[in-house]
Amino acid sequence: MTKVVVVGDRLVSSATLKEAAGQLNIPGPIEVVEFQWHGDLTKDQFQEKILLIEKGGPEAVDIPEGILPEMIEADYLLVHIAPVSKEMIAAAQQLKLIGTCRGGIEHVAVDAVKEKGIPLIHVIRNAEPVADFTLGLIFAETRNIARSHQAVMAGKWRKSFSNDPYKTTLANLKVGLIGLGYIGKLVVQRLNGLGVEVLVYDPFVDQEAIVAEGLQVTFKALEEVFSEADVISLHVRVTPETTNMVNKALISLMKPSAYLINTARAAILNKGDLVEALKEKRIAGAALDVIWSEPIQQEDDLLQLDNVTLTSHIAGDTIDAIPRSPYLLRNVLNGYFETGKSDMLIRL
């Protein structure tokens, strides 16, 4: 008997995870033990739990009651954003794999997982929406769509903007991507379809494999992407190495006509260095769907700027992406079981 423990939450039900777990291509009969983590909270209350996890990791919140005894003989653990804590990993004596149906892994005690050598696979359940939204932010910022709308709604017929000297069509711009994971590849596909030149920095990808996939990109060093691209879009996870990765040193390499887009995580970007560059007009603008403090505070310096587009962390917010994510996880896991390889396998 293969034992699979699933933990649902307010956004992804344990019933859906259980159904997906029953469709895994693993040996023998499957016993699925299900837990529900704070499924009874309101949307705002659950968002508070998510923020606690994103700031403090899995140890910042409680784990499902009764899960520790079940972890002892668990072979597989599937979750959405429910915590996978050090205590849970310590209890597991035969865990073969952890699967999570979300892009970020802040809810997982990664060091404990690494220490035990347990494979960790995630799926970016909202990759398509985020890729679409990234393009939307590029258009919104470079062509002043949001700023013009805001002015018109306020009764102003605005025709002049701070990036007037640089305005041009997307086809005339080079877009640089920092990170070429699942979302990054989808962004490349869209840019390729629009005939846009794409520069990429990602030291971890197999460049030959990228070419074999038919993606048209030019690989560059990090500093080269920042100095040559007209639009730079961030698509990396938050790790100790990537925290504040984009700072004054890199921003200073950007052209005065260049834009910075972030639909990944705020911590990748040094806030003070970005705000300073925007205030001094050393870059043309920025568009951010992720903010260092969410919701944004009224005294935040970003709200005083006229060369930034801000959205309320909605890049991945579509009606179907999150509820159906267990089935995407099922497909990715079955592919991994068949080949022993996966783009969604986290490098620990």
Side-chain angles (χ1 to χ4, degrees):
M1 180 73 70
T2 299
K3 184 173 182 177
V4 183
V5 174
V6 303
V7 187
D9 54 50
R10 189 188 185 279
L11 301 178
V12 173
S13 73
S14 60
T16 306
L17 276 167
K18 181 179 181 179
E19 182 177 8
Q23 298 167 1
L24 293 175
N25 296 331
I26 48 183
I30 300 174
E31 176 195 6
V32 180
V33 179
E34 59 180 306
F35 292 89
Q36 190 75 8
W37 185 70
H38 292 306
D40 57 342
L41 297 183
T42 67
K43 183 176 181 179
D44 289 343
Q45 289 171 334
F46 192 69
Q47 184 62 35
E48 290 177 5
K49 294 286 185 182
I50 294 176
L51 291 176
L52 285 174
I53 287 177
E54 291 186 343
K55 292 178 181 178
E59 317 307 323
V61 293
D62 57 319
I63 63 175
E65 184 178 351
I67 198 171
L68 292 180
E70 299 294 347
M71 290 298 301
I72 295 173
E73 295 182 349
D75 295 293
Y76 299 91
L77 173 64
L78 306 184
V79 305
H80 172 233
I81 198 173
V84 181
S85 69
K86 294 176 183 177
E87 191 177 18
M88 290 169 61
I89 299 302
Q93 297 181 11
Q94 58 189 45
L95 199 60
K96 298 178 178 66
L97 181 143
I98 299 169
T100 177
C101 46
R102 69 185 301 265
I105 55 171
E106 300 92 343
H107 59 303
V108 179
V110 173
D111 289 342
V113 173
K114 181 179 180 180
E115 186 175 332
K116 279 201 169 184
I118 302 170
L120 172 60
I121 286 183
H122 72 153
V123 295
I124 305 174
R125 76 279 205 263
N126 51 12
E128 292 275 357
V130 173
D132 288 344
F133 202 87
T134 298
L135 249 65
L137 285 185
I138 292 173
F139 281 118
E141 179 57 30
T142 61
R143 298 299 305 278
N144 303 299
I145 295 172
R147 277 185 284 277
S148 178
H149 167 78
Q150 184 181 39
V152 172
M153 294 296 287
K156 302 174 184 177
W157 199 251
R158 187 175 178 185
K159 303 289 282 186
S160 178
F161 303 91
S162 65
N163 65 344
D164 282 350
Y166 314 120
K167 284 187 299 188
T168 185
T169 60
L170 183 59
N172 289 330
L173 302 176
K174 292 181 183 178
V175 176
L177 303 186
I178 309 303
L180 195 59
Y182 191 32
I183 293 176
K185 289 179 182 179
L186 292 175
V187 175
V188 171
Q189 290 175 6
R190 286 154 173 73
L191 292 171
N192 284 168
L194 294 169
V196 178
E197 184 176 352
V198 182
L199 311 179
V200 168
Y201 168 76
D202 192 326
F204 301 107
V205 299
D206 183 338
Q207 297 188 17
E208 292 183 1
I210 295 300
V211 174
E213 290 182 38
L215 299 178
Q216 300 171 35
V217 302
T218 302
F219 284 93
K220 296 275 188 175
L222 181 62
E223 292 78 8
E224 290 177 318
V225 174
F226 271 84
S227 61
E228 296 178 22
D230 301 295
V231 178
I232 295 169
S233 188
L234 307 181
H235 299 283
V236 297
R237 292 191 299 113
V238 175
T239 66
E241 292 74 26
T242 62
T243 299
N244 287 321
M245 169 188 181
V246 181
N247 54 23
K248 188 171 186 176
L250 286 175
I251 294 173
S252 66
L253 299 176
M254 295 173 64
K255 305 173 185 177
S257 57
Y259 303 86
L260 189 56
I261 313 295
N262 191 8
T263 54
R265 287 289 187 268
I268 300 164
L269 188 53
N270 184 290
K271 181 181 180 180
D273 293 346
L274 174 66
V275 169
E276 180 182 315
L278 291 171
K279 281 183 176 179
E280 297 178 2
K281 305 292 177 67
R282 287 192 275 110
I283 61 174
L288 313 173
D289 184 53
V290 285
I291 311 299
W292 291 264
S293 176
E294 297 184 7
I296 195 167
Q297 303 301 304
Q298 288 301 310
E299 64 274 13
D300 198 302
D301 288 343
L302 290 167
L303 299 179
Q304 308 305 314
L305 300 172
D306 190 41
N307 53 354
V308 63
T309 298
L310 304 174
T311 53
S312 52
H313 206 156
I314 56 172
D317 189 8
T318 59
I319 60 171
D320 51 356
I322 295 177
R324 294 195 57 79
S325 60
Y327 302 112
L328 177 59
L329 178 61
R330 172 203 61 196
N331 295 342
V332 170
L333 290 178
N334 283 338
Y336 175 72
F337 296 146
E338 181 179 350
T339 66
K341 300 178 181 179
S342 175
D343 289 342
M344 300 293 98
L345 182 66
I346 299 292
R347 305 179 188 94
L348 297 177

